[in-house]
Amino acid sequence: ASASLGYRKAGWRAFFAHKSPAACSILARIAPMDWVREPAVAGRFYAADPATLARDVSDFLAASPDAGGAGGAAPATMLMGPHAGYVYSGAIAGETYARVRVPRRAIVLGPNHTGLGARRSLWPSGCWRLPGGEVPVDTELAAALRRAAVDRL
């Protein structure tokens, strides 16, 4: 773990759970509640300034033909949203998110872009910091996902 990976550590320990040589590993971290995942690409793929970021997101959502539609946004049970830089995917992300109501509790899945480290990992506690705020990790849900994943691999 290093700052270059976008997070800071505060007295954590990590272990890998291997069920068989053929199974992929899961990184399970036992971390204090103050573990913070810093924004890794703020200022490069989206604005680092909170006001600018809020304006950009608002503009992308408002530009959607479905923004404020007559039927209202549908509750999301699953959403596959683009995650490239806003210059590449902001318009389609705005259209996608304008069509749904994202629930307060969500699971975010993402790729391992580098191929380094564990193929699967889980952020167990703390929060993900964004320009202008933080999103807390649902520790109960994270623990349940970890237990379920370890039982299946």
Side-chain angles (χ1 to χ4, degrees):
S2 74
S4 66
L5 295 176
Y7 55 87
R8 72 178 159 81
K9 58 184 180 175
W12 63 278
R13 57 192 170 94
F15 63 92
F16 288 90
H18 298 278
K19 286 298 197 181
S20 73
C24 300
S25 63
I26 294 181
L27 175 60
R29 297 181 181 109
I30 300 172
M33 290 301 296
D34 68 344
W35 228 37
V36 176
R37 171 60 162 82
E38 298 291 342
V41 295
R44 293 186 298 160
F45 291 99
Y46 55 87
D49 173 65
T52 303
L53 179 59
R55 186 191 69 238
D56 291 347
V57 169
S58 181
D59 289 348
F60 286 128
L61 290 169
S64 170
D66 294 317
T77 54
M78 185 181 86
L79 180 135
M80 185 177 292
H83 72 281
Y86 284 1
V87 66
Y88 305 107
S89 67
I92 192 66
E95 285 193 40
T96 303
Y97 284 97
R99 295 176 185 204
V100 298
R101 285 190 315 273
V102 178
R104 291 188 52 79
R105 191 177 202 195
I107 299 171
V108 178
L109 302 175
N112 175 342
H113 286 291
T114 66
L116 302 173
R119 290 182 59 196
R120 295 175 183 90
S121 62
L122 176 69
W123 200 268
S125 65
C127 67
W128 286 62
R129 182 169 291 147
L130 304 171
E134 295 178 344
V135 178
V137 170
D138 182 329
T139 56
E140 289 179 20
L141 179 58
L145 288 170
R146 185 175 141 261
R147 283 190 303 273
V150 170
D151 288 345
R152 288 174 176 77
L153 293 179

